[in-house]
Amino acid sequence: PGSFTVGLDQIWFHSENENVGAGINVVGLRSPFHSPEHKQQVLKNGLPNKYHPSDHMPVGCILEWDVDTDCNSRDLRSSDKIGFTDSTSSEGGRGLFEEDRNEGDVLQEISELLAACPFSAEEQRKDFEFVISPVQGMPLERGMRPTSEQILQVQQRRKVKKKLWEDVSDDAREMLERIIVLTKEASKFSK
């Protein structure tokens, strides 16, 4: 806030061999902001600040390598949607920013993340779907108290989530955390 300095963190790709770079395309860009509110907070307070102790914003991109279709390799991250936007969208190559998203975009991202999540067993997928499933009658209207059944259902979900978080890989956990954020975002469209 005291003085404004323009500087951008960047990701560069370069190859001395022209043929090596020919099979690589940028297919996604990561938005450095978690929400429109986060963007406003950063623009208002600058960086670093008490909420974001670094003077750098996280940047990321998804690179797609052209590979032989007979190759039996698998994407190590298993997802191109963790907080990323599609640079090939109709938005002129800039992708969808958080404030431009609609419920369909959010639900699509949730679906793609769930399909790509590297669960080690189908039981983990079922446990996670239970964790994010809605509790009947919640959220509550202002001034209402949860029933004992609702409290029990929330406790069950917390217990399953705790166990699941101990068992899944770091990559899966990162994807699942993103799905939880998106699930909350999607519920706002229903209000």
Side-chain angles (χ1 to χ4, degrees):
S3 64
F4 181 73
T5 304
V6 175
L8 299 175
D9 289 333
Q10 302 174 18
I11 297 174
W12 291 58
F13 170 78
H14 174 72
S15 174
E16 294 294 326
N17 182 342
E18 292 179 64
N19 294 330
V20 173
I24 299 177
N25 302 303
V26 176
V27 296
L29 303 173
R30 183 187 193 287
S31 173
F33 304 105
H34 307 297
S35 67
E37 295 81 19
H38 178 239
K39 180 178 180 180
Q40 290 303 317
Q41 183 265 328
V42 169
L43 292 174
K44 178 182 175 188
N45 298 318
L47 293 175
N49 61 49
K50 70 179 184 177
Y51 303 106
H52 191 87
S54 175
D55 62 345
H56 295 271
M57 295 296 294
V59 296
C61 70
I62 300 169
L63 300 174
E64 180 180 76
W65 278 261
D66 294 333
V67 295
D68 183 355
T69 56
D70 293 333
C71 179
N72 195 16
S73 63
R74 183 173 167 252
D75 177 7
L76 296 177
R77 298 280 304 164
S78 301
S79 174
D80 62 352
K81 296 294 180 183
I82 302 178
F84 291 86
T85 57
D86 182 1
S87 66
T88 61
S89 75
S90 62
E91 302 289 322
R94 70 177 176 91
L96 292 174
F97 291 96
E98 295 292 326
E99 60 268 18
D100 296 334
R101 294 162 53 106
N102 61 39
E103 184 177 17
D105 296 328
V106 175
L107 295 175
Q108 177 69 27
E109 185 173 345
I110 291 170
S111 174
E112 291 172 355
L113 281 169
L114 268 175
C117 189
F119 292 109
S120 62
E122 186 60 28
E123 189 65 30
Q124 287 181 343
R125 179 180 308 279
K126 289 178 183 175
D127 285 347
F128 182 69
E129 288 172 354
F130 170 71
V131 166
I132 64 170
S133 67
V135 173
Q136 186 68 30
M138 293 185 77
L140 299 171
E141 292 182 28
R142 186 178 201 114
M144 293 185 65
R145 294 184 177 266
T147 65
S148 57
E149 178 61 29
Q150 289 170 325
I151 292 170
L152 179 62
Q153 287 185 39
V154 169
Q155 289 172 338
Q156 290 171 334
R157 283 165 174 74
R158 286 180 180 163
K159 182 179 177 182
V160 171
K161 181 182 174 187
K162 182 179 179 184
K163 174 77 170 108
L164 184 62
W165 256 233
E166 293 171 358
D167 295 342
V168 297
S169 68
D170 290 342
D171 285 343
R173 188 177 312 106
E174 183 178 342
M175 294 172 82
L176 299 179
E177 288 170 350
R178 175 69 179 154
I179 292 170
I180 289 171
V181 168
L182 291 168
T183 302
K184 291 176 183 175
E185 184 180 333
S187 70
K188 292 177 185 176
F189 289 106
S190 302
K191 291 181 180 180

